[in-house]
Amino acid sequence: MEDKPITPSPNLPNSNAAPEEDKSLMHIWGGVPLQGQVNISGAKNSALVIMAGALLCPDDCRIQNVPSLVDVNRMGQILSALGVKVERKGDALHMNARHLHHSKAPYELVSQLRASFFVIGPLLARLGVARVPLPGGCAIGARPVDLHVRGLQAMGADVHIDHGTVHASVKGTNRRLQGARIYLDYPSVGATETLMMAATLADGETTIENAAQEPEVVDLANFCRAMGARIRGAGTNTIIISGVPRLHSTDYSIIPDRIEAGTFLVAGAITRSDLSLFPVVPDHLTAVIAKLRAIGLHITAETPNRLRITPGEHHIATDIETLPYPGFPTDMQAQFMALLTLSEGDSVITETVFENRLRHVAELNRMGADIRVKGNHAIIRGVPRLSGAPVVATDLRASAALVLAALAAEGKTTIQGLHHLDRGYEDLGGKLLKLGAKLQRVDDPEADAPVIQTVAPGQV
Ligand code: EPZ
């Protein structure tokens, strides 16, 4: 009997489920066009750093439009371990860091969330001391933090690494960081954010040159300014921060997630559907929209914060090179690779940001794609069709690419390793079901979980 789609678990997956314990599966039956409008959640990469930024303030802060994600849960647990009050009320987090102390966050939590390293700047700025486990690498790369460390040292912090922990402290009577002129060898998003946060409470003026320009950096700057920080130039390659003695409460709402929006644009493209997305900030998607149009899709801004994608006649092979913003985002590379497997002709994708972010190639080839990897280049020869197959997700955006490929493939695909997906997408399965996708998420195949029958719109 054909499985019927069920609504995936409405509760957030267990944020502490270790990957090896992850038995969840997603079955997707491809070839079904999507339709309707999808709601885009708050930006994961804003939420995580802004949660750390709230440590700069010794009063109540409310952060709204926070997506319900495993990584956000984990960050909340880490901040609580540092003495911060974190309470979720709907899509808002109520935080208070008055009783912040620098005891090291539990390693077992930090090791599962690289973004936990963001606490080092605020801890140093608030307390003059910080002990933060060194974030490990991950599937996509070594993810060093040398640019963060060198910048903090330039601001007067004594930083050394001992037994996998970064020990940082500020000497001097008032134990305050000093403003400095910092040049980043690479426009690192994380290093820009760490140093910008640290500089908000430093003595004097800090200039960050060759700074990252991502929208999430601007979102963090706007959040800090809402707390009284003095920051100019966020969104350009030079950010100037004038330190102030103290920051105050604020109520702030996070920008929509441009990578989730880009992922749904590709979902519409690969299934040749007519989809609308809301809310979005089209300016945050300039490179993504330009590439979709080059491939042959039609994208229109129905209102200032609503985008619509409709299919074109042919999907044309297109080359892509990932670059720091405003270049093409590395976080959209895997998703576009899935789309280009079905485009006419040969496309070349060059990944310049991370050294190991082509691991989805093998799984896409198992679905009938024709992709060859040479160094940091993937040569994608378009094929007429993909075929469903059992596949395994290797990292967050790779898992999204497999979902997209499955939506277009002939037959059934089963994806393992959904813990990757749950880190960065709020209920992706549920949102796709609402658009008419034919899928079933099974969180624990062994359990005799009741099968909740629902019928997605357009399916009788
Ligand atoms: C942020 O990671 C994002 N994560 C990533 O999103 C995103 O891919 C990346 O920026 C680039 O846009 C969050 O914001 C939580 P980087 P981050 O520092 O800050 C090297 C996703 O899928 N580097 O800009 O770690 C580094 O090795 C995730 O949502 C150093 O050499 O990125 C990499 O090659 C994945 N030394 C390059 O810079 C440093 O001290 C870009 O890294 C720091 C970085």
Side-chain angles (χ1 to χ4, degrees):
M1 184 185 92
E2 190 183 36
D3 298 316
K4 286 269 185 265
I6 58 167
T7 49
S9 153
N11 308 310
L12 199 64
N14 173 356
S15 63
N16 291 319
E20 60 277 5
E21 293 160 13
D22 178 11
K23 296 183 177 60
S24 56
L25 299 172
M26 187 178 281
H27 303 297
I28 298 176
W29 291 265
V32 177
L34 308 179
Q35 61 179 11
Q37 174 175 297
V38 61
N39 182 274
I40 300 301
S41 304
K44 164 181 85 80
N45 291 346
S46 281
L48 294 173
V49 70
I50 285 175
M51 286 171 76
L55 303 190
L56 294 164
C57 170
D59 292 329
D60 288 326
C61 276
R62 184 166 75 154
I63 307 167
Q64 300 191 67
N65 199 27
V66 178
S68 185
L69 301 172
V70 167
D71 276 6
V72 168
N73 276 11
R74 283 180 177 148
M75 182 61 109
Q77 290 166 348
I78 289 164
L79 299 183
S80 303
L82 294 172
V84 182
K85 189 193 84 178
V86 184
E87 199 180 345
R88 180 182 271 274
K89 289 180 182 165
D91 83 346
L93 288 183
H94 293 247
M95 299 180 66
N96 184 303
R98 185 186 317 282
H99 303 299
L100 178 66
H101 52 78
H102 62 79
S103 60
K104 197 168 83 174
Y107 178 73
E108 63 277 7
L109 287 176
V110 171
S111 62
Q112 296 180 58
L113 179 64
R114 295 193 70 268
S116 53
F117 195 69
F118 281 138
V119 303
I120 192 165
L123 282 173
L124 270 180
R126 275 284 305 280
L127 307 176
V129 63
R131 289 181 302 147
V132 184
L134 202 56
C138 69
I140 63 176
R143 312 294 293 275
V145 290
D146 56 307
L147 299 176
H148 303 238
V149 170
R150 288 217 301 270
L152 293 172
Q153 288 169 329
M155 296 173 73
D158 172 33
V159 186
H160 68 278
I161 295 169
D162 181 39
H163 295 93
T165 295
V166 179
H167 296 264
S169 60
V170 189
K171 299 288 180 271
T173 47
N174 65 359
R175 307 192 72 171
R176 281 186 78 184
L177 292 164
Q178 299 302 308
R181 187 185 182 99
I182 300 163
Y183 174 82
L184 293 178
D185 293 346
Y186 184 89
S188 154
V189 172
T192 301
E193 293 168 337
T194 287
L195 300 173
M196 185 164 71
M197 289 190 284
T200 57
L201 295 174
D203 260 337
E205 183 172 273
T206 298
T207 302
I208 305 172
E209 292 181 317
N210 197 27
Q213 305 177 48
E214 272 71 0
E216 294 76 24
V217 173
V218 178
D219 212 14
L220 173 65
N222 290 338
F223 169 70
C224 292
R225 287 153 55 125
M227 293 191 291
R230 293 172 53 202
I231 301 173
R232 287 177 289 133
T236 75
N237 61 7
T238 303
I239 303 176
I240 299 170
I241 307 102
S242 305
V244 295
R246 191 181 189 279
L247 297 181
H248 56 69
S249 292
T250 191
D251 187 344
Y252 188 80
S253 188
I254 281 170
I255 57 172
D257 193 315
R258 62 189 168 103
I259 304 302
E260 184 192 20
T263 304
F264 274 103
L265 285 172
V266 175
I270 205 168
T271 56
R272 298 180 182 273
S273 305
D274 181 339
L275 282 191
S276 289
L277 289 73
F278 172 84
V280 294
V281 180
D283 285 353
H284 293 167
L285 288 155
T286 305
V288 168
I289 292 168
K291 283 299 174 183
L292 286 169
R293 285 177 172 152
I295 292 169
L297 283 307
H298 303 296
I299 316 262
T300 49
E302 289 181 316
T303 67
N305 54 3
R306 185 189 311 270
L307 279 180
R308 182 176 176 189
I309 182 167
T310 49
E313 274 307 299
H314 303 281
H315 288 179
I316 304 157
T318 304
D319 293 349
I320 287 174
E321 180 180 31
T322 66
L323 289 167
Y325 194 90
F328 186 90
T330 174
D331 294 348
M332 282 301 305
Q333 178 258 106
Q335 298 92 313
F336 268 74
M337 190 180 292
L339 177 59
L340 290 169
T341 63
L342 292 167
S343 299
E344 294 164 19
D346 291 359
S347 307
V348 178
I349 290 184
T350 304
E351 172 56 61
T352 73
V353 178
F354 289 108
E355 69 268 26
N356 191 29
R357 205 174 198 176
L358 295 172
R359 298 179 60 192
H360 36 282
V361 166
E363 295 305 291
L364 289 172
N365 283 341
R366 286 171 44 75
M367 297 177 72
D370 179 355
I371 311 169
R372 284 171 298 123
V373 173
K374 290 203 178 315
N376 67 335
H377 305 280
I379 298 101
I380 302 118
R381 173 149 298 169
V383 294
R385 68 190 62 76
L386 295 175
S387 53
V391 290
V392 180
T394 52
D395 58 77
L396 168 56
R397 304 305 175 183
S399 53
L402 295 176
V403 171
L404 297 172
L407 290 172
E410 287 181 358
K412 176 182 174 184
T413 298
T414 298
I415 302 173
Q416 280 183 287
L418 299 185
H419 64 281
H420 293 294
L421 207 57
D422 296 333
R423 287 189 45 220
Y425 288 96
E426 185 175 42
D427 193 17
L428 181 66
K431 291 185 179 182
L432 286 170
L433 261 179
K434 286 197 185 88
L435 293 174
K438 204 166 179 184
L439 65 88
Q440 178 191 22
R441 173 163 180 158
V442 181
D443 275 318
D444 186 348
E446 273 86 54
D448 185 17
V451 178
I452 306 152
Q453 296 291 345
T454 59
V455 178
Q459 290 190 347
V460 179

